[in-house]
Amino acid sequence: MRQVLTVCPYCGCGCGIYLQVEDEQVTGAMPSFKHPVAQGRLCIRGWHAHELAISPKRITTPLVRKNGKLQPATWGEALEAVARGLSAAKDSPGSVGVLGSSRLTNEDNFVLMRFARAVLGTNNIDSASRLARNPAMLGSPGFMTDSIPSLGECDAVVVCGSDVAEQLPKAATEMLLAAWRGVPLITISPRADVVAKCADQSLRPRPGTEALAVDGLVHLLISERGGETAAPQEIADAVAEATPAAVEQATGVPEAGLRAAAAELADRQRVAVVYGTGVTQSPTAERTVAALTRLARVAGNESGAQFLSPDCNFQGACDMGIHPEFLSGYQPAADAEARAKFEQAWGGKMATAPGSAATQMLARAKAMLVMGDDPVASLVSSSAAGRALDGLDFLAVIDTFMTETAARAHVVLPAAGFAEVDGTFTNAERRVQRLRAATKPAGESRPGWQIVCEAAKAMGSPINYDSAAAIMDEIARLTPLYAGCSYAVLDEGWGWQWPLTARGETPEPGEGPAADAVDAERPLLLAIDSTLYPWDTDIRPLCAPTLEREHTIHARDYRQGFVEMNAADGSTLQLRPGQTVEVVSRHGSAQIQAVLSEDIPPGTVLVPYQSREKVLALFGDAEAADGRLPAPCPVAIRKA
Amino acid sequence: MADYEAKVIAKSDINAWVRALMGNAEVVAPVAAHLDDVVYQPIEAPEQVAWDYENTIQPPKTFLFPQVETIYRFHRNGDRSIEVEATVDQTKRVILGLRCCDVSGVLYMDNVFTQDNPDIYYLARRANTTLISLTCPRPFPWCFCVCSDAGPFLSSGYDVQLTDLGARMLAEVGSEKGQAAIDVAANLFSPAGQDAVDRRNSLEAEAERLFEQRETNHMASAMRRVSVGQVKDELWEAMAPWCLGCGGCNFLCPCCFCFNMHDFPANGGGVHCRTWDSCAFPGLTREVSGHNPRSERAQRVERRFYHKLSYQYLEKEGLPGCVGCGRCVITCLGTTTMPNISEGIRRGAWR
């Protein structure tokens, strides 16, 4: 029996996990005590990492579609089909597209990026999981500037638009431990989630109005401190109209609550300000992030506001250039000098024509290669993604489990799982850490990067790497951001954090779409909630038996979808819990089951991301090419 | 001390003794993992044993009640008949260097797995396991074994209890198995003189004194209140959001034993396995109909601490369900650790 140290494949915390191995089989998982993030803790997903490692639902052989059905095939046959399918499309650059993923290793993503740009000759490389989580890449290059444990060392913590206990549980631990010690904790989001229930002040603005609630806090902090030195003029000007009365009118946050929250922050020197996908997936993302940045500055935090990146390698996927505009390390694909460096290393030419993000790619491509990504599960319009994939001349998918995307492919190639490979993830705090193979790949599966190399060879442009370590060496040579990184360096300590030398620019907040106001006819505000149930864009918890059982609870037993309403609003309509209701907007209506809850404020109706398809049409033209959620819309609800 | 003679062994002879133990059994001991991590693992050489260690994250219960344990294998033969083979682990094992709190945890589990339905899987492993423990000269930051009389030194329950006297170790023998463990290298041991025994007793007194310097969490007081139903629902509801439902406390607790059964395909057939489960998970009690008697987190938190602290269970299981090892303090994703909860119950208030 031995214990192999690796990294949890679920969220952006990147906790160190020991996988127990007996007779070449993974038989257990437990946290590393001394790991700087885990510190002896794991969440329910991490504690079942071993169940994922031994899941019986793995794809174990190559599959090729024959007579309408995916059938087992040999590697030779499958790779040949991939070469044929992609070659046919590659001569017209807009016709071929590649999707990587925030759940793949850096090595997988880097080799895939090379394949797209140097073999297929296209800058159409992106990730649906990346686009869905943070369409505007707010906060990049380093989404988090501080470390996760440092969240607990600040004088106060403000969290906006993230159910941290579900999305990055160990970060929630830091907040709860700080709150336990008396550090003020303030949450800003419509739902009363776990951290909100532990918080000193929980502000519950109507969906879409978070920016104004934040501005209201800044307004009070400035006026509390008084004098010309309270804040830079441009900040004071930006929040001049966010008086407590105006904020209450527009957001529903009571004046008293806003004042109480501001009072908690008033004398604090260093306030951590963090946000999640509830902010970044919203049409008002830039406005909200600008407001949060102002709050951080006024509250004495030079790091600004920080995005909690939710996937195990969200940071790394962006770092590796899984993005139409960037090579690895955010070197622009349009920069000839940067391209020349890669061309010299790889031989051959890199793509020059600009590439498309995931949604446009799906709309225009004729052939696609998708690795580890699941656009049907991740993108806002799941059905549009499905239709686009069905319309492709050729789709090849490399994955460990049969996702809804993989089920539509012409060829499926089995990828080795996280417990079976060497590789690295870069966690939310920019910490690059080693995965170490605990067992051999199941069935005929192979490491993802190796499959890509074989596909390149089948297309006549071979790519060769001896090992995952060799790929990291090349990453370090070609990517200034990762200079100095190597497996030897990673083995010496607890990984390696790449140094943040410059912050990204906060994009100018535009006007955003004008949201309709509620009225007597449609008195409730309907919004899609992307902060909760992060499990639902990820098939893997359904492949681990205990997590699959718990997922049913997460889905409130209504796996067909549900809306959540405030209990008082529900009883006004005399609704029984779980009753099917009709939800009506000016664009149409939908029938769906209603769950009643005290956690939702009156006047608001929230649809968890997993149930979005049922109600998407109610928002009007919701197929946003930029990956964002539609703006909240007024609805009426009645019994069906 | 009991019927067996206490012995001493020079520290310079310890490795030779361990090598002799390895001749007869798989020896499991704390070993260094990555950097400062220490884990229990079967050793390949005596030098691997990390004698000077804080407690490990994983309790030794994993060798008696594993996280995933194969109960039986099944496969279909060529003639379509099905063969089933029970897989009871009979490996001879020595667990070397475990702390007294963990020995106490094993004694508790012995009661649980012997009562009602004697569990052949646990009992087979237990019968083949020798416990050689190591006393604690001082508490670690998270320890509170004194609250349930589970350490820092024990007077019985171990097979061999080692105490570090400096240049020598005292070996108190507590059973026939322990005597057999000494006898594999009998020439390395000599009878303990009074000075060795006196030194052991003063080390015990010093360790207990160090515990007394700490603030107590009043676990006994919490046990009384839980047992007579004095804990209000509002208190459990106040505590509930501070538990993030990770299950870690159950997995690492030497006295927790909830489990589930899963089948996994293997080798043209399958394996039927017992796997750890947790009362923190709502799915543990959800019934097929969809009804869940513990659907609210407050109910689950109450359940855990009722089982741990109430007199009803102390009477049934014979020993307290908490040995004060402090692993729940280390691993709690929130703040619902035994010390915090006990204090909250005693004060009648949270935070």
Side-chain angles (χ1 to χ4, degrees):
Chain A
M1 178 204 279
R2 55 201 174 91
Q3 306 284 352
V4 178
L5 179 67
T6 188
V7 185
C8 182
Y10 284 110
C11 86
C13 287
C15 292
I17 290 187
Y18 283 101
L19 291 178
Q20 181 173 283
V21 185
E22 292 171 271
D23 298 326
E24 304 303 310
Q25 179 88 330
V26 174
T27 54
M30 66 170 172
S32 159
F33 188 3
K34 300 300 180 179
H35 188 273
V37 178
Q39 298 172 334
R41 301 170 173 93
L42 288 175
C43 75
I44 185 177
R45 289 183 287 174
W47 269 112
H48 295 92
H50 60 293
E51 285 192 356
L52 185 66
I54 58 179
S55 171
K57 297 190 180 181
R58 290 283 296 277
I59 306 169
T60 50
T61 70
L63 302 166
V64 173
R65 193 172 293 276
K66 295 173 189 161
N67 301 323
K69 281 187 60 175
L70 284 171
Q71 319 253 18
T74 63
W75 273 101
E77 198 187 337
L79 287 166
E80 208 187 318
V82 171
R84 265 198 322 270
L86 293 178
S87 298
K90 85 177 236 236
D91 291 322
S92 77
S95 295
V96 73
V98 177
L99 292 179
S101 167
S102 53
R103 297 183 196 125
L104 293 175
T105 62
N106 290 321
E107 292 76 2
D108 287 340
N109 275 325
F110 184 77
V111 174
L112 188 70
M113 188 270 290
R114 174 176 174 176
F115 181 80
R117 291 183 154 123
V119 173
L120 295 182
T122 182
N123 278 311
N124 286 343
I125 172 143
D126 197 4
S127 157
S129 56
R130 193 280 308 165
L131 183 71
R133 306 291 211 181
N134 192 339
M137 293 279 277
L138 296 169
S140 70
F143 297 106
M144 228 180 135
T145 48
D146 294 334
S147 70
I148 290 172
S150 78
L151 290 177
E153 290 157 22
C154 293
D155 299 328
V157 183
V158 178
V159 184
C160 183
S162 174
D163 185 351
V164 193
E166 289 283 349
Q167 293 194 306
L168 285 99
K170 184 53 170 50
T173 305
E174 302 300 337
M175 296 171 189
L176 293 191
L177 290 177
W180 189 255
R181 289 193 313 267
V183 171
L185 175 58
I186 292 161
T187 63
I188 305 171
S189 104
R191 170 192 302 283
D193 58 36
V194 163
V195 172
K197 288 175 187 167
C198 302
D200 297 280
Q201 296 295 330
S202 153
L203 305 182
R204 316 261 293 282
R206 280 192 273 279
T209 66
E210 293 87 349
L212 191 54
V214 177
D215 282 344
L217 277 180
V218 178
H219 178 103
L220 283 171
L221 283 177
I222 293 176
S223 66
E224 226 83 322
R225 290 177 190 180
E228 288 116 30
T229 56
Q233 193 58 43
E234 78 253 14
I235 293 186
D237 288 345
V239 304
E241 292 179 14
T243 62
V247 169
E248 177 163 355
Q249 162 80 348
T251 71
V253 173
E255 249 196 71
L258 195 70
R259 286 189 188 279
E264 296 276 11
L265 298 176
D267 296 318
R268 305 292 160 168
Q269 295 305 309
R270 218 178 148 255
V271 177
V273 179
V274 296
Y275 59 96
T277 55
V279 169
T280 53
Q281 252 189 299
S282 152
T284 55
E286 284 86 349
R287 273 225 305 279
T288 313
V289 172
L292 290 165
T293 306
R294 285 192 286 268
L295 175 62
R297 291 234 179 86
V298 165
N301 191 339
E302 285 313 308
S303 304
Q306 306 177 67
F307 173 56
L308 294 175
S309 71
D311 294 321
C312 62
N313 205 22
F314 186 93
Q315 179 72 61
C318 299
D319 294 349
M320 292 300 110
I322 303 297
H323 192 285
E325 289 169 38
F326 299 117
L327 308 176
S328 59
Y330 307 94
Q331 304 172 93
D335 181 335
E337 232 181 271
R339 281 202 311 271
K341 180 175 65 170
F342 285 78
E343 282 166 356
Q344 190 173 48
W346 294 341
K349 286 289 177 199
M350 298 265 284
T352 49
S356 309
T359 39
Q360 285 116 334
M361 205 195 293
L362 281 166
R364 295 180 200 157
K366 302 257 189 304
M368 289 188 71
L369 172 65
V370 175
M371 182 153 85
D373 206 29
D374 191 358
V376 177
S378 299
L379 294 177
V380 172
S381 179
S382 179
S383 52
R387 281 194 301 275
L389 291 171
D390 287 337
L392 293 173
D393 291 339
F394 181 76
L395 172 63
V397 173
I398 304 171
D399 215 321
T400 46
F401 296 103
M402 187 59 70
T403 62
E404 292 188 70
T405 296
R408 292 169 152 81
H410 297 95
V411 179
V412 179
L413 299 169
F418 86 100
E420 299 160 0
V421 297
D422 287 334
T424 58
F425 291 147
T426 306
N427 79 351
E429 27 154 56
R430 312 179 324 280
R431 182 184 300 273
V432 183
Q433 300 186 94
R434 276 206 59 188
L435 281 77
R436 295 179 180 83
T439 51
K440 290 197 283 284
E444 293 183 55
S445 65
R446 298 175 184 178
W449 60 263
Q450 225 177 284
I451 300 175
V452 175
C453 289
E454 285 163 24
K457 182 167 156 202
M459 292 183 71
S461 311
I463 297 177
N464 284 312
Y465 295 99
D466 290 332
S467 62
I471 300 172
M472 179 50 76
D473 289 340
E474 177 164 273
I475 291 169
R477 276 196 302 274
L478 296 175
T479 315
L481 201 63
Y482 276 59
C485 185
S486 71
Y487 278 29
V489 163
L490 297 179
D491 282 341
E492 270 166 18
W494 297 102
W496 169 83
Q497 280 172 291
W498 56 258
L500 191 67
T501 48
R503 290 287 286 153
E505 300 292 322
T506 308
E508 279 306 311
E511 268 306 311
D516 293 339
V518 298
D519 56 28
E521 194 188 340
R522 299 183 195 96
L524 301 169
L525 194 63
L526 176 74
I528 296 174
D529 185 348
S530 66
T531 68
L532 248 202
Y533 312 116
W535 297 24
D536 296 310
T537 60
D538 184 353
I539 196 179
R540 295 169 307 164
L542 294 177
C543 301
T546 304
L547 299 183
E548 213 255 323
R549 181 189 75 187
E550 297 305 314
H551 183 268
T552 307
I553 315 282
H554 264 246
R556 301 281 206 269
D557 278 317
Y558 302 120
R559 290 225 210 180
Q560 304 308 308
F562 61 94
V563 295
E564 283 183 288
M565 291 179 69
N566 177 270
D569 286 340
S571 77
T572 304
L573 294 171
Q574 298 183 313
L575 293 181
R576 286 186 331 267
Q579 184 157 5
T580 301
V581 296
E582 194 167 12
V583 184
V584 187
S585 75
R586 67 182 170 88
H587 299 287
S589 72
Q591 293 209 348
I592 191 168
Q593 283 169 297
V595 167
L596 304 181
S597 167
E598 301 292 347
D599 298 343
I600 317 293
T604 296
V605 180
L606 292 180
V607 180
Y609 202 69
Q610 66 161 110
S611 306
R612 65 198 183 283
E613 273 295 311
K614 284 220 142 164
V615 298
L616 212 48
L618 299 180
F619 293 89
D621 178 18
E623 295 186 11
D626 62 2
R628 298 192 196 221
L629 289 169
C633 82
V635 295
I637 292 191
R638 41 181 186 257
K639 294 187 202 178
Chain B
M1 280 170 282
D3 310 310
Y4 302 88
E5 203 189 357
K7 307 277 198 195
V8 286
I9 176 171
K11 276 215 192 135
S12 51
D13 285 335
I14 291 280
N15 282 352
W17 177 41
V18 174
R19 198 166 296 116
L21 290 169
M22 289 169 69
N24 288 348
E26 179 180 88
V27 175
V28 171
V31 305
H34 189 71
L35 296 180
D36 290 342
D37 274 335
V38 175
V39 298
Y40 279 110
Q41 211 168 284
I43 58 172
E44 281 155 23
E47 292 74 19
Q48 281 182 288
V49 179
W51 289 103
D52 181 21
Y53 78 109
E54 304 166 325
N55 216 347
T56 57
I57 272 280
Q58 120 249 46
K61 86 173 179 185
T62 55
F63 295 94
L64 297 168
F65 174 65
Q67 193 170 8
V68 177
E69 179 171 26
T70 303
I71 298 296
Y72 58 79
R73 299 181 200 284
F74 55 91
H75 65 268
R76 200 187 283 278
N77 290 321
D79 63 1
R80 315 275 291 166
S81 64
I82 298 180
E83 223 172 276
V84 180
E85 178 207 341
T87 49
V88 180
D89 187 318
Q90 309 270 19
T91 310
K92 289 219 159 333
R93 240 175 225 111
V94 170
I95 304 182
L96 175 67
L98 73 163
R99 298 293 184 183
C100 297
C101 53
D102 285 330
V103 173
S104 301
V106 173
L107 299 176
Y108 171 90
M109 295 286 251
D110 286 348
N111 290 350
V112 166
F113 282 101
T114 316
Q115 289 173 356
D116 300 335
N117 299 306
D119 187 292
I120 61 166
Y121 294 89
Y122 178 91
L123 291 173
R125 287 172 178 261
R126 182 68 177 100
N128 285 298
T129 299
T130 303
L131 302 176
I132 302 179
S133 61
L134 181 65
T135 56
C136 297
R138 69 186 188 288
F140 300 115
W142 46 82
C143 293
F144 54 102
C145 58
V146 293
C147 290
S148 46
D149 212 21
F153 284 56
L154 294 179
S155 55
S156 66
Y158 47 81
D159 295 313
V160 179
Q161 176 168 262
L162 298 173
T163 299
D164 187 340
L165 302 179
R168 303 174 301 169
M169 286 233 183
L170 181 75
E172 298 169 72
V173 176
S175 69
E176 272 184 42
K177 265 196 224 161
Q179 188 61 54
I182 301 291
D183 289 344
V184 297
N187 57 310
L188 299 176
F189 291 86
S190 40
Q194 194 55 44
D195 61 317
V197 171
D198 287 344
R199 176 107 179 91
R200 172 246 188 253
N201 290 338
S202 74
L203 285 168
E204 179 176 16
E206 175 62 11
E208 285 175 353
R209 193 186 67 77
L210 289 171
F211 269 101
E212 276 157 31
Q213 290 180 339
R214 298 183 160 187
E215 262 195 65
T216 175
N217 59 27
H218 301 283
M219 206 166 101
S221 174
M223 289 173 80
R224 272 199 303 280
R225 283 163 201 265
V226 167
S227 299
V228 301
Q230 257 181 22
V231 185
K232 293 188 162 50
D233 286 348
E234 290 76 37
L235 185 57
W236 297 117
E237 282 157 21
M239 295 169 169
W242 297 80
C243 164
L244 298 197
C246 65
C249 54
N250 304 114
F251 298 148
L252 296 185
C253 177
C255 303
C256 274
F257 51 89
C258 277
F259 62 84
N260 200 356
M261 307 301 294
H262 287 306
D263 292 321
F264 296 99
N267 300 328
V271 290
H272 187 69
C273 295
R274 170 161 64 190
T275 62
W276 287 353
D277 208 333
S278 162
C279 60
F281 301 154
L284 182 84
T285 50
R286 182 181 173 278
E287 296 162 14
V288 173
S289 65
H291 172 63
N292 191 343
R294 301 210 282 263
S295 59
E296 300 309 306
R297 187 156 277 161
Q299 293 169 305
R300 298 193 288 277
V301 174
E302 176 181 12
R303 169 61 197 170
R304 167 171 173 69
F305 290 98
Y306 186 78
H307 192 166
K308 290 291 165 198
L309 295 172
S310 86
Y311 187 70
Q312 173 193 338
Y313 279 100
L314 177 57
E315 209 176 17
K316 175 178 193 289
E317 286 153 1
L319 288 169
C322 171
V323 295
C325 69
R327 289 186 175 93
C328 59
V329 177
I330 295 170
T331 207
C332 182
L333 261 191
T335 62
T336 47
T337 64
M338 179 61 83
N340 284 348
I341 296 280
S342 298
E343 198 192 320
I345 291 172
R346 186 186 74 82
R347 286 191 309 120
W350 185 242
R351 279 188 90 180

